[in-house]
Structure formats: structure tokens, C-alpha cells
Amino acid sequence: MLVLAHVSDIHVDGTERNTSRAARALDYARALRPDAILLTGDIADNGAVEEYEIVRELIKGDDVPLVLCPGNHDARGNLRKVLLGLDGDHPANQALNLENATIALCDSSIPGLPEGRLDDETLDWLDGVLSATPGVPAFVGMHHPAAELGIPYVDGIRLREPERLARVLGRHDHVVAVLAGHAHTAAATTFAGLPLLVAPGVVNTGLLPFETDALPPVDLTLPPAIAIHLLDDGRITTHYRPVP
Ligand SMILES: [Fe+2]
């Protein structure tokens, strides 16, 4: 059985609170001894080099493979430089080829904007990764959910032009799920005929409009949480786990 620990939106901002919550989530994920840890964006709260240096310490020395992608709070150039050792500010797309699974995390960020979009370079990259591993179960992840989740605040800044992603996914029948973050709430829906599984929040939890009048609609008191995706005999099961 394949085990993926999915952490998202750690929003490291230099405060002890957010660093501690991020560390708790990542430590819990690591202790599961999963096949990989996925970090789907909003890694730094302001995209600052100093924030990524804190993240680099949090993920350092980990012998579990870790793949990540940026979110709208990230700064591509700084993330690439500090976390990936790469120059430039191209989309930060990352693939992990395991023996029994392919994980492709796409950069859905648009510099300076809260909503998301996959540009041509990223979609071509995704198509190439999926074409190279036919028959191997594939997980396609990104920060922005490609479908509405019933939270207007988040839905307004979801992935734009999702049909472009659906077209690529439609060419590859070995994709088993689409993974996302951004909404800070454990949610499950469908997109392009696939499960669309959204990681819960680490620094806060997104609430439905009929749960709160707050704007942004978040709860700061609920514990950090992660998603644990299991793949067994081609079928995915997701568990959502608050982190002590
Ligand atoms: Fe976020």
C-alpha cells in the first residue's frame, strides 16, 4: 500500500505560532514513515527569503521524499532559490517518480494575484510527466482547487480556466486523484471525473459561510491537520487527521 502525507498552507511567517504548527504537522507526517510528503503551497506567508530559511530547517534531514509547489502567498523566485536550489522565476513544478506512483505538483500561482492558473509551460510539463509514466498511478497536485467548495471567499480565488487542466487529465487514464490546498479545510469533491481532495488547514481552518460571520471565514483555535492518502490496488482512500 502506498501512503502519502499531504500537508498544506503552513504559512510560515517568522512567528513562533506558525512555525510551531508547521513543525507539528510535518513531524506528524514524517513519523508515519509515508512513501512521500506533499506540501501544496502557501509555504511562506509573505514569500520572504527568511521565511523559506525557516521552512528549510523544518524539512531538513528528512529521509522521506518531499515534494512541494507554491501557493498564492509564496514568491516563486525566493522559494526556488532557498528550497529547491534553483535560479530564475519560472513555475516551480516538481515531480516525484516512485516505483508504484507518480506525483506531479504543479505551480498554479500567478505572481501578485490570489487566484490560480496553470500556464502553458506548466500544462506541457504535466503532460510530459504523465506521458512518461503510463500505467503507474499518478497524483496531480497544486495549490488552488479546480472546483468550487461552497466557501465563496475561497471559490472566488480558485483555479482559473480549469478546463485546460481537465483536458490534460483526460489524456491520461492512470491519474487517480487531484490534490489541492488553499481552502484550509478538509474537503473532498470531484473534478474531471476524479476525486479532488483538499488538504486541511495548519495555521487556521476555513469555515463555511453558515458557520461564521467572520471575514476571512476562518477559525484560529482548531488544531492543525493533515491528509493521509492511501492507495491500495488502484483505489484511493483519504483520512484527515488533526495533529496533537
Ligand atoms: Fe493558504
Side-chain angles (χ1 to χ4, degrees), residues 216-242:
V218 296
D219 185 303
L220 291 160
T221 64
L222 291 168
I226 69 170
I228 305 163
H229 307 296
L230 311 178
L231 185 75
D232 196 12
D233 203 18
R235 193 173 58 84
I236 185 168
T237 303
T238 296
H239 295 255
Y240 288 110
R241 179 73 64 247

Side-chain angles (χ1 to χ4, degrees), residues 106-131:
C106 304
D107 185 345
S108 61
S109 69
I110 308 171
L113 292 177
E115 64 264 37
R117 183 177 180 274
L118 300 172
D119 66 16
D120 291 345
E121 177 183 338
T122 295
L123 288 168
D124 288 348
W125 171 85
L126 176 62
D127 203 28
V129 168
L130 296 174
S131 296

Side-chain angles (χ1 to χ4, degrees), residues 1 18 27 54 63 76 81-82 93 106 112 115 117 122 137 140 181 216 223:
M1 184 170 64
N18 284 16
D27 286 349
I54 294 170
D63 55 354
R76 234 180 228 171
K81 186 166 57 180
V82 180
N93 301 311
C106 304
E115 64 264 37
R117 183 177 180 274
T122 295
V140 174

Side-chain angles (χ1 to χ4, degrees), residues 9 11 41-42 72-73 143 182-184:
D9 296 79
H11 285 267
D42 283 1
N72 51 295
H73 278 257
H143 182 66
H182 196 43
H184 298 205

Side-chain angles (χ1 to χ4, degrees), residues 16 25 39 53 87 93 140 152 170 173 183 188:
E16 196 277 336
L39 195 46
E53 287 171 347
D87 291 328
N93 301 311
V140 174
D173 61 6

Side-chain angles (χ1 to χ4, degrees), residues 35-38 65-67 94-98 101-105 129:
D35 293 280
I37 297 173
L38 284 55
L66 185 146
V67 276
Q94 263 205 311
L96 177 66
N97 292 300
L98 300 171
T102 300
I103 299 157
L105 296 193
V129 168

